[in-house]
Amino acid sequence: MTFWELTGTAALWVLAFTTAGWLLSLVVKKASIVDSLWSLCFLVVALVGYLDGNAAALERRTLLLGLVAIWAIRLSLHITVRNWGEPEDYRYQEFRRKYGPERYWWFSLFQVFWLQGLLALLVSAPLLVGAAAPAWGGFDPFWLGVALWLVGVVFEAGGDWQLLRFKADPANAGKVMDRGFWRYTRHPNYFGDFAVWWGYGLIALAAPWGWLALLGPVLMSVLLLRVSGVAMLEKTIGSRRPGYAEYVRRTSAFFPRPPKKA
């Protein structure tokens, strides 16, 4: 398949997957299950690329499927376990209050599930470019992309694990997590996500139309830094953590670096 044919097929599968997720949300009465499904949308796209991609890209689309599967399944399981037994996320509760229960059950299909599916499809540009490539040539930062993906997974998974352990200790209630990866960046999980997607972009960069692969990591970077990641979290966390202002003073917001001295 060509890139555009592959994109159309992936769009249909993502549409079906997010619609199924919406139906499940009506059963469990929690639209926030979309957070667990978000990363799996990319796995759906990677599977489409692997099954229907160009024969010339077999090795690269196989690699992309493997890397996406590791990243997506781990993240989905982490979010599912973290949210298990918890009430619906406050963002979705606010949407329910705003639109009313009579409208929100169907409105959430467009405003939550299909919107997230559309964003996932756009961010998936490197997966689709890499799978559809008929040839490879010129400068190929393939191994740099794999190395960057590995750095990202270590920061994201490591940061999530460290934070879970920190929160599990009652003695840390109300305290600021500033150990491990969190000593070098206030958001190691978001930085990890950033590195993972720039890794995918570099893996697909040597394909024809390789520049299109970079649209995915650019969009993901905007989402992480300006929309639903760092910007959203830091609006409220300072009021919930008394020592957060000092943590902000000495710790990088995003890109890891040694903390500033007192």
Side-chain angles (χ1 to χ4, degrees), residues 1-8 52-54 128 131-133:
M1 288 188 177
T2 66
F3 168 78
W4 298 111
E5 291 171 334
L6 206 58
T7 300
D52 296 329
N54 195 301
L128 295 166

Side-chain angles (χ1 to χ4, degrees), residues 35-49:
D35 295 339
S36 295
L37 301 178
W38 160 255
S39 64
L40 298 182
C41 290
F42 300 105
L43 183 55
V44 170
V45 175
L47 277 168
V48 171

Side-chain angles (χ1 to χ4, degrees), residues 4-134:
W4 298 111
E5 291 171 334
L6 206 58
T7 300
T9 301
L12 292 175
W13 279 104
V14 169
L15 178 67
F17 180 73
T18 51
T19 302
W22 171 71
L23 292 173
L24 178 60
S25 78
L26 299 182
V27 175
V28 300
K29 296 181 173 59
K30 287 177 76 172
S32 57
I33 65 169
V34 73
D35 295 339
S36 295
L37 301 178
W38 160 255
S39 64
L40 298 182
C41 290
F42 300 105
L43 183 55
V44 170
V45 175
L47 277 168
V48 171
Y50 174 75
L51 294 173
D52 296 329
N54 195 301
L58 176 60
E59 291 183 0
R60 208 157 306 209
R61 71 178 195 259
T62 302
L63 173 70
L64 285 170
L65 175 61
L67 297 183
V68 172
I70 293 170
W71 170 80
I73 294 172
R74 187 217 68 87
L75 182 56
S76 179
L77 287 175
H78 167 73
I79 293 174
T80 301
V81 171
R82 185 189 67 188
N83 294 343
W84 194 264
E86 297 292 328
E88 186 175 47
D89 186 279
Y90 75 92
R91 295 169 295 169
Y92 304 100
Q93 291 186 34
E94 187 63 33
F95 290 143
R96 287 186 188 278
R97 285 191 290 269
K98 180 178 180 180
Y99 297 106
E102 300 81 7
R103 287 196 302 160
Y104 191 67
W105 72 270
W106 62 265
F107 190 73
S108 63
L109 172 63
F110 308 96
Q111 187 249 4
V112 177
F113 288 87
W114 282 2
L115 175 60
Q116 297 238 17
L118 175 61
L119 290 173
L121 187 67
L122 295 174
V123 172
S124 293
L127 311 181
L128 295 166
V129 169

